[in-house]
Amino acid sequence: MGYVNINDVFCTSKTGYKILKGINLNVEKGECILLMGLSGSGKTSLTKLINGIIPHFEEETDFVGEVLIEGESTRNISQYKISEKVGSIFQNPKSQFFNSDVEGEIVFGLENMGTDPELIKKSLKKTINNLNIDRLLGKNVFSLSSGEKQILAFASIFALNTDIVVLDEPSSNLDMDTIETIKNNIEIFKKEGKTIIVAEHRLYYLKDIIDKAYYIDEGIIKDCFTQEEIKLFNSKKENNLKIRTLSTPKLEVLEKEFNKNDEYLCEDLSYTINGNLIFKDINISLNRGEVLGIIGKNGIGKTSLLKCISGLMKKNTGSVFFNNKLLNNKDRLKNTYLVTQDINSQLFTLSVKEECELNLPEDRLNQVDVVLNRLGLDKYKDKHPMSLSGGQKQRLTIALALLSNKEIIIFDEPTSGLDFKNMIIVSEAIKDLAKKSNKIVIVVSHDYEFLNTVADGIYEMV
């Protein structure tokens, strides 16, 4: 028997959808395993079985079979007791924060468990030193970049010192430098003897850490690979499995030069908030039919730039022109559709189809099924948007952008949580949006693999 045992588990939603089908998985103490596979294949549900979210919190999901931690069934252990053994790091770290200050967040779990104050101080000091996070101390959690928030999530679990660590898409929306930090943190967990389960689409940074990789497809474990076997994968094997590259991605798209003769211009854009300069003198240009990729480190101001050019942030200087017309904030809002990182904030109705039909003229309703089919969402059209996996939600927001009648379409990290197959589908959809629908398209992304397939030019914020 392993340290974590999943025996003949079938997991089903209240609507009857079979999420997991006969899963058998044994994880030894100190082992690091990877769960890989298409979006919606059941990876996240598997992590929720291990950390007790299923069945203790997710009441709309049932399972039969047995999930054991150190020989004890998670059905019979309270969530409080499970959390003493299992620490979780989620795709969106904001969902697990409880404090506004960094130090308070790091020690929250220990305080909540009634740990001796002297032990809390020692744990805090060890966490700061081992993870090298002095730069975060004294900061407000809400002022942190996406990368810093994920590093803080790691710190809070490191301080908690659980024997098992479950990670769900920990590299989403992170730049290459922060992913390297995340890799180092996972290695620290492993050296500490932790048992680690990672569900992930970006694979290259994990290939030297994991002991085994399990390939999940439609709720079934189809294959298991050792680290040595994973390292021997070539592009053909990756394509057959429809997984992301195991080689470190390199950006192959050239920089887009600013041209005042282009149809869409952002000239000398600057933005300051509360006396802090977020970005200064941004100059970008492109024409209809082009896709411009914007890159830069976490916290450099990319999302703020998108909000400024789309008219959501008013206190900016500089100019935005479209077809030689100066666009004020009202014009920018009228002409621009922005797909944000926080996809949940853009979903409002009770079904996927209703979401697509919302505010759509009657003469265009026939386009909904076509777009859903193209993005592989047609079989989910009657499902509640919030019941979709992260990758499925991401594709739904792409569908909404495709159905919008805006001239300027902007995407902020559109491949967050997407596997290789769906990354290509989204890439082709965005390219068609630009070229066939003759739109202005701007994409912010840290995903070089995606940008190499979709972007005509790159602008780097520094």
Side-chain angles (χ1 to χ4, degrees):
M1 178 181 287
Y3 194 58
V4 177
N5 298 92
I6 299 175
N7 301 325
D8 204 25
V9 165
F10 291 77
C11 197
T12 308
S13 70
K14 290 292 187 186
T15 60
Y17 178 73
K18 292 180 173 58
I19 303 168
L20 298 172
K21 308 166 188 175
I23 296 292
N24 288 282
L25 178 65
N26 294 326
V27 186
E28 301 298 331
K29 186 174 177 61
E31 195 172 33
C32 179
I33 71 161
L34 167 67
L35 306 176
M36 61 182 186
L38 298 180
S39 299
S41 62
K43 301 185 302 299
T44 295
S45 294
L46 198 45
T47 65
K48 288 179 178 179
L49 286 167
I50 296 169
N51 62 23
I53 291 178
I54 301 174
H56 294 294
F57 284 101
E58 206 162 283
E59 296 179 357
E60 67 273 17
T61 306
D62 292 324
F63 84 91
V64 296
E66 196 174 45
V67 179
L68 305 176
I69 296 175
E70 291 187 282
E72 287 189 87
S73 170
T74 56
R75 290 186 188 276
N76 303 327
I77 314 174
S78 68
Q79 185 62 51
Y80 177 84
K81 287 296 182 182
I82 293 175
S83 66
E84 290 181 339
K85 297 181 179 183
V86 184
S88 298
I89 299 171
F90 302 116
Q91 181 175 342
N92 180 3
K94 290 189 296 183
S95 65
Q96 64 189 94
F97 291 159
F98 295 89
N99 288 268
S100 60
D101 64 296
V102 166
E103 289 91 328
E105 185 57 41
I106 292 173
V107 301
F108 172 79
L110 293 172
E111 290 177 337
N112 199 39
M113 291 178 174
T115 307
D116 182 270
E118 287 303 313
L119 293 177
I120 291 177
K121 289 179 183 178
K122 288 181 181 179
S123 182
L124 177 61
K125 184 177 180 180
K126 179 182 178 181
T127 300
I128 293 168
N129 291 337
N130 284 31
L131 301 188
N132 192 25
I133 56 171
D134 302 69
R135 67 192 184 283
L136 300 184
L137 301 182
K139 288 188 176 183
N140 186 296
V141 170
F142 300 104
S143 71
L144 301 179
S145 69
S146 298
E148 289 171 334
K149 286 175 182 172
Q150 192 63 291
I151 290 167
L152 175 58
F154 269 83
S156 66
I157 298 305
F158 186 85
L160 199 56
N161 196 30
T162 57
D163 289 331
I164 301 167
V165 181
V166 174
L167 304 99
D168 189 13
E169 300 283 353
S171 72
S172 290
N173 302 338
L174 301 185
D175 61 52
M176 299 287 281
D177 289 345
T178 307
I179 290 176
E180 187 65 24
T181 300
I182 295 302
K183 174 187 175 183
N184 294 337
N185 288 348
I186 296 174
E187 288 176 329
I188 291 170
F189 278 127
K190 191 169 184 180
K191 287 175 184 175
E192 292 269 324
K194 308 301 182 187
T195 303
I196 305 167
I197 296 100
V198 190
E200 181 64 286
H201 289 302
R202 283 181 176 173
L203 307 179
Y204 71 91
Y205 74 98
L206 293 169
K207 65 183 178 184
D208 295 321
I209 304 174
I210 59 169
D211 298 298
K212 293 175 186 172
Y214 292 88
Y215 181 75
I216 304 175
D217 185 27
E218 295 185 346
I220 300 169
I221 293 179
K222 292 288 182 69
D223 219 331
C224 176
F225 305 97
T226 64
Q227 184 189 84
E228 291 73 22
E229 289 171 328
I230 282 282
K231 286 182 176 181
L232 293 175
F233 276 19
N234 54 26
S235 58
K236 181 179 179 180
K237 181 71 171 179
E238 293 165 358
N239 290 338
N240 286 341
L241 292 174
K242 298 180 175 63
I243 59 173
R244 295 295 197 103
T245 180
L246 284 151
S247 303
T248 303
K250 291 180 172 56
L251 191 61
E252 300 167 359
V253 187
L254 298 177
E255 181 183 353
K256 172 76 165 68
E257 296 290 337
F258 180 74
N259 186 342
K260 293 199 72 164
N261 294 319
D262 284 350
E263 294 172 274
Y264 183 80
L265 305 173
C266 297
E267 290 189 273
D268 299 323
L269 281 181
S270 300
Y271 179 64
T272 302
I273 183 169
N274 298 327
N276 296 316
L277 181 66
I278 307 302
F279 57 80
K280 184 180 180 181
D281 296 336
I282 300 294
N283 290 281
I284 59 176
S285 69
L286 68 160
N287 293 305
R288 289 178 182 273
E290 293 180 334
V291 179
L292 177 69
I294 297 180
I295 62 173
K297 292 185 177 181
N298 287 113
I300 202 70
K302 301 183 300 298
T303 294
S304 295
L305 173 63
L306 298 190
K307 289 180 178 179
C308 285
I309 63 180
S310 62
L312 292 174
M313 286 182 170
K314 298 179 180 179
K315 294 182 180 179
N316 56 84
T317 60
S319 306
V320 177
F321 295 90
F322 183 46
N323 290 335
N324 297 315
K325 178 187 176 182
L326 177 65
L327 303 183
N328 58 29
N329 282 302
K330 187 176 180 181
D331 293 328
R332 296 181 202 179
L333 282 168
K334 182 180 178 181
N335 286 278
T336 307
Y337 188 94
L338 172 63
V339 178
T340 67
Q341 283 188 42
D342 186 5
I343 51 182
N344 290 331
S345 67
Q346 293 186 274
L347 303 175
F348 305 102
T349 67
L350 298 178
S351 76
V352 167
K353 188 166 186 178
E354 285 179 39
E355 197 70 47
C356 292
E357 293 175 344
L358 190 66
N359 300 322
L360 203 63
E362 190 170 344
D363 62 346
R364 296 184 59 222
L365 291 176
N366 60 344
Q367 297 177 19
V368 170
D369 286 342
V370 175
V371 171
L372 290 178
N373 182 62
R374 175 163 190 193
L375 291 171
L377 293 171
D378 47 312
K379 61 183 176 182
Y380 306 114
K381 64 182 178 182
D382 295 323
K383 291 189 70 174
H384 196 293
M386 291 304 173
S387 71
L388 301 178
S389 71
Q392 290 163 348
K393 286 180 186 175
Q394 196 71 51
R395 279 182 281 150
L396 176 55
T397 61
I398 304 295
L400 300 178
L402 291 172
L403 290 165
S404 79
N405 223 12
K406 306 285 187 175
E407 295 297 322
I408 303 152
I409 312 293
I410 301 176
F411 299 94
D412 194 359
E413 297 290 355
T415 57
S416 173
L418 291 189
D419 55 70
F420 178 78
K421 175 185 175 183
N422 287 302
M423 180 202 78
I424 295 299
I425 289 173
V426 167
S427 171
E428 293 297 329
I430 290 176
K431 283 192 291 187
D432 279 359
L433 182 64
K435 292 170 174 42
K436 293 184 179 179
S437 300
N438 211 27
K439 305 290 187 182
I440 299 288
V441 179
I442 298 172
V443 178
V444 158
S445 182
H446 295 298
D447 188 346
Y448 288 0
E449 197 175 0
F450 165 65
L451 289 173
N452 286 337
T453 69
V454 76
D456 297 296
I458 292 293
Y459 178 84
E460 182 173 7
M461 291 183 68
V462 293

